[in-house]
Amino acid sequence: MPIRLLTDTLANQIAAGEVIERPASVVKELVENSLDAGASNIRIEAVDAGLTKLVVQDDGCGIPKDELLLALTRHATSKIASTEDLFNIHTFGFRGEALPSIAAVARLTLASRARGAAEAWEVRPDGQVHPAALPHGTRLEVADVFYATPARRKFLKSPRAEAMALHDVLHKFALAQPQVALTLVEDGVESWHIPAAQGDFLHAATPRLASLMGDDFARQALVLNAERGGENGATLHGFLSPPTLHAGTTRQQFMFVNGRAVKDRQLQTALKNAYADRIPAGRHPMAVLFITLPPSEVDVNVHPAKTEVRFRDGGNLFGLVYGAVRQALHQHTPVVPRPVASSFVPVAMPSQPPVYAATTVQSLNLQTPPEKLWKGGTPPAMGTEEHQGYNQQPTTHNASLGAALGQIANTYIVAETADGNLTLVDQHAAHERLVYEGLKAQFTAGRIASQPLLLPVVVPLTPAETNLMMAHAAELEKFGFGLEQHSPSSIAVVAVPQLLGDTNPTTLLRDVVDDVAELAPRTTLHSKLEHVLATLACHHSIRAHRRLSLAEQNALLRQMEASPNCLTCNHGRPTAVTVTLAELEKLFERR
Ligand code: ADP
Ligand code: MG
């Protein structure tokens, strides 16, 4: 076949293939045009779910007689005039393709009476212009959808499915445009009418929720209100399912960007991550999110039907959605922070009683008078409450590390064993070792448990480091990290290993970057497992110099006994030191 230009009809039919998939997409395009025209009342009539006939009539600004034929021409629009406009879109339409596309696959009649015009005019399917009877506004009648492209007609679903698709489209408009009254007439019967609502946007949207999201959601939804300030700031409003309500798919997640219904994987991920530890695995939250931001921050010229958009600063928006949803869920059911000591699950009892790594007495500075060693206040006297507490714990007294008596310098735990031996434990080193063992046990069992952050933390890195980390992101997920690329030179930390408690995500990530950077090419983090786990364990939550209650001290000792290899810290230093009764007696020259 020789090369030739497509005819206008064929070109329009190809364009229609992209935007006009089914009767519901005709309704979407026409209602968008009505909204762009500033309509406050829109009436939709469908016969046979729109397959036989669809009529959309509005009270918007109308089209002057001399522009009617132009409106049906491809690439004719009143909405943009320059490239600058293209990147600052304030309307739903701008491509000038909907009307010619519809006219190419169906019989279209366009009637309109422009504001201030004395009479109405209409263009019939044959292209002739005739006087018409119409109040101010526009009326589009679309008959026999796909009569001109019968192949497309074969792809349509049952009239019932097409009607449902049409309802979905209208329910979405109803939610995002509460200022507009919508009426649906199906096969001659008014089946649905939603009057215009006044006042606060969310307030107005609330009664419209049930038709799209169901009654349960409408009754129980949590309200979301958040804002990211600044020149290019964004606001986020919406409704969320409480953690007790979830769905099997993401179909019940609706996102509107500047009033436009869009699908966005990144925002869906933000939502998913925010609910991660709140709903059962494999279930999905339900949500309606309205995001408003300056039009120059969104590129809507990505998808012919404009159901996908591109954000100039996707990372920021991700953070806004994730943070706000997290916060809303948190306020709904506050997470009770677990005490540090019990955040560690004992791994297994060692079969052999632990052997102390060192039993040196030299480490005790005998030059220092005992009362100076005690920095935590006056030591509890015999018979005081604290001392009794210890006496009432004969079982811990029998444990190998003994029962805690107290703390020295808020750093060392002093304990007495049943045999009268003295145990000293470096609480910082011990906890670090416990965290290390816990991480290792989790990793061996599959993956390290992850804790989503309330607010993601953006860590600036070099572009090379950013690429490197993103290349290992999937592997780092097994180590409990949630990382999202935020910009070419920064990463948003959205989750950290749960066992690390409230660690500083920035310093933590930087340390991990160092570990990853040291990897030989084409090797995995697994090859340096011990090293990486040690890096993580360094960022644990008990710091040295923290006052611990006797209960916390004993809990730490019991956990150490339950964990293999706990008697040296990750750096090989001892975590516990014992002075036997015999050694004590020698010190006092009793022997
Ligand atoms: P677009 O919406 O991308 O501009 P369309 O093909 O949907 O392209 O519409 C072409 C033009 O026809 C619009 O730019 C607008 O000027 C006019 N138009 C379409 N529908 C209406 C309406 N309901 N009310 C007023 N003007 C309309
Ligand atoms: Mg349009």
Side-chain angles (χ1 to χ4, degrees):
M1 240 201 283
I3 301 174
R4 65 194 114 186
L5 276 177
L6 294 172
T7 62
D8 275 355
T9 309
L10 199 48
N12 282 333
Q13 285 177 346
I14 291 170
E18 292 182 314
V19 284
I20 310 299
E21 203 188 331
R22 59 204 305 188
S25 23
V26 175
V27 170
K28 172 182 174 280
E29 292 295 334
L30 297 186
V31 171
E32 285 188 353
N33 278 347
S34 298
L35 292 168
D36 283 345
S40 32
N41 285 283
I42 305 174
R43 179 185 162 93
I44 300 100
E45 274 179 61
V47 177
D48 288 339
L51 292 162
T52 305
K53 191 164 93 168
L54 271 174
V55 181
V56 175
Q57 181 166 354
D58 66 53
D59 59 355
C61 66
I63 305 172
K65 182 192 173 198
D66 59 350
E67 290 182 11
L68 279 178
L69 281 172
L70 202 53
L72 299 178
T73 312
R74 200 145 67 99
H75 303 319
T77 179
S78 58
K79 298 170 192 175
I80 59 169
S82 67
T83 311
E84 217 170 282
D85 293 345
L86 181 58
F87 293 97
N88 196 11
I89 302 274
H90 291 259
T91 48
F92 287 107
F94 61 88
R95 299 168 61 99
E97 284 191 325
L99 296 190
S101 297
I102 297 168
V105 297
R107 291 181 224 279
L108 177 84
T109 306
L110 164 62
S112 194
R113 182 169 162 193
R115 209 157 277 160
E119 64 261 310
W121 295 88
E122 72 179 22
V123 189
R124 304 213 179 133
D126 61 4
Q128 301 293 314
V129 181
H130 295 272
L134 195 76
H136 288 286
T138 302
R139 180 178 192 273
L140 265 296
E141 185 179 314
V142 180
D144 304 327
V145 187
F146 300 130
Y147 88 95
T149 48
R152 198 25 101 87
R153 222 188 154 105
K154 291 199 195 119
F155 287 97
L156 292 177
K157 306 226 169 83
S158 67
R160 222 181 99 83
E162 293 303 330
M164 270 174 57
L166 199 148
H167 292 176
D168 264 10
V169 165
L170 292 180
H171 290 153
K172 281 195 251 178
F173 279 121
L175 254 185
Q177 317 290 335
Q179 78 288 354
V180 177
L182 290 167
T183 308
L184 174 64
V185 177
E186 289 176 289
D187 298 323
V189 180
E190 184 180 303
S191 55
W192 190 66
H193 174 73
I194 281 212
Q198 255 133 48
D200 169 68
F201 174 77
L202 277 188
H203 202 253
T206 311
R208 298 161 175 239
L209 263 185
S211 47
L212 190 64
M213 303 295 291
D215 287 340
D216 277 354
F217 182 90
R219 258 198 314 273
Q220 303 174 33
L222 313 179
V223 175
L224 190 62
N225 265 313
E227 187 165 358
R228 180 151 272 177
E231 196 185 327
N232 301 322
T235 61
L236 169 66
H237 301 291
F239 303 96
L240 300 171
S241 53
T244 45
L245 192 65
H246 32 75
T249 68
T250 57
R251 239 177 40 81
Q252 300 273 73
Q253 296 177 359
F254 295 95
M255 299 180 187
F256 299 89
V257 174
N258 291 346
R260 189 190 302 277
V262 299
K263 288 244 169 291
D264 187 88
R265 292 277 295 280
Q266 210 189 359
L267 296 183
Q268 283 190 326
T269 307
L271 192 63
K272 180 178 155 208
N273 291 357
Y275 273 84
D277 55 344
R278 301 294 188 127
I279 57 176
R283 304 290 298 171
H284 300 273
M286 300 157 72
V288 181
L289 306 181
F290 303 99
I291 294 167
T292 313
L293 71 179
S296 54
E297 292 292 301
V298 205
D299 185 358
V300 289
N301 188 24
V302 177
H303 188 275
K306 305 166 206 113
T307 52
E308 281 168 29
V309 293
R310 211 177 284 135
F311 299 107
R312 195 189 285 200
D313 192 351
N316 243 333
L317 221 50
F318 182 97
L320 177 65
V321 170
Y322 177 86
V325 172
R326 227 31 231 161
Q327 184 101 44
L329 292 174
H330 187 74
Q331 278 163 0
H332 173 66
T333 40
V335 181
V336 183
R338 288 192 284 173
V340 173
S342 65
S343 69
F344 175 73
V345 188
V347 187
M349 278 303 271
S351 45
Q352 300 283 313
V355 183
Y356 298 144
T359 52
T360 55
V361 82
Q362 281 75 8
S363 57
L364 278 176
N365 183 351
L366 297 174
Q367 311 307 336
T368 316
E371 67 273 16
K372 288 267 173 65
L373 275 172
W374 185 269
K375 301 234 176 73
T378 324
M382 292 289 271
T384 62
E385 205 188 320
E386 235 179 322
H387 199 86
Q388 281 167 3
Y390 148 64
N391 281 334
Q392 284 160 6
Q393 296 176 350
T395 46
T396 59
H397 193 261
N398 288 331
S400 53
L401 287 174
L405 300 173
Q407 229 178 340
I408 296 176
N410 285 348
T411 303
Y412 303 101
I413 296 169
V414 184
E416 181 194 359
T417 68
D419 310 335
N421 293 339
L422 171 73
T423 314
L424 294 169
V425 169
D426 179 337
Q427 69 191 43
H428 177 91
H431 194 257
E432 187 172 319
R433 184 73 207 195
L434 285 169
V435 171
Y436 175 87
E437 293 296 332
L439 290 171
K440 195 164 170 180
Q442 288 184 352
F443 190 89
T444 313
R447 66 192 303 126
I448 293 177
S450 175
Q451 169 74 55
L453 296 177
L454 200 56
L455 287 172
V457 175
V458 173
V459 182
L461 300 170
T462 67
E465 286 171 338
T466 307
N467 285 337
L468 182 72
M469 291 303 277
M470 290 322 295
H472 286 278
E475 204 189 347
L476 283 163
E477 234 180 84
K478 289 205 190 116
F479 284 83
F481 284 93
L483 303 180
E484 311 273 347
Q485 177 149 9
H486 175 255
S487 79
S489 59
S490 61
I491 281 181
V493 183
V494 299
V496 294
Q498 196 181 35
L499 277 181
L500 303 190
D502 18 313
T503 177
N504 177 336
T506 305
T507 52
L508 176 62
L509 188 74
R510 287 191 173 287
D511 284 357
V512 175
V513 168
D514 291 342
D515 281 350
V516 175
E518 281 171 10
L519 285 179
R522 280 183 298 282
T523 50
T524 62
L525 275 176
H526 205 146
S527 63
K528 277 180 52 172
L529 182 64
E530 316 254 305
H531 186 81
V532 177
L533 294 182
T535 303
L536 299 185
C538 269
H539 288 266
H540 60 68
S541 47
I542 286 197
R543 298 265 162 256
H545 312 302
R546 224 197 78 188
R547 185 103 178 92
L548 300 179
S549 70
L550 266 187
E552 285 176 304
Q553 294 170 32
N554 275 313
L556 191 63
L557 297 182
R558 299 297 80 78
Q559 286 173 10
M560 287 178 70
E561 286 156 1
S563 173
N565 313 322
C566 70
L567 291 167
T568 51
C569 86
N570 310 317
H571 310 292
R573 297 192 309 264
T575 55
V577 167
T578 293
V579 184
T580 60
L581 188 56
E583 285 168 321
L584 270 183
E585 285 173 343
K586 245 198 229 154
L587 270 176
F588 292 99
E589 298 177 5
R590 284 177 176 264
R591 284 194 177 203

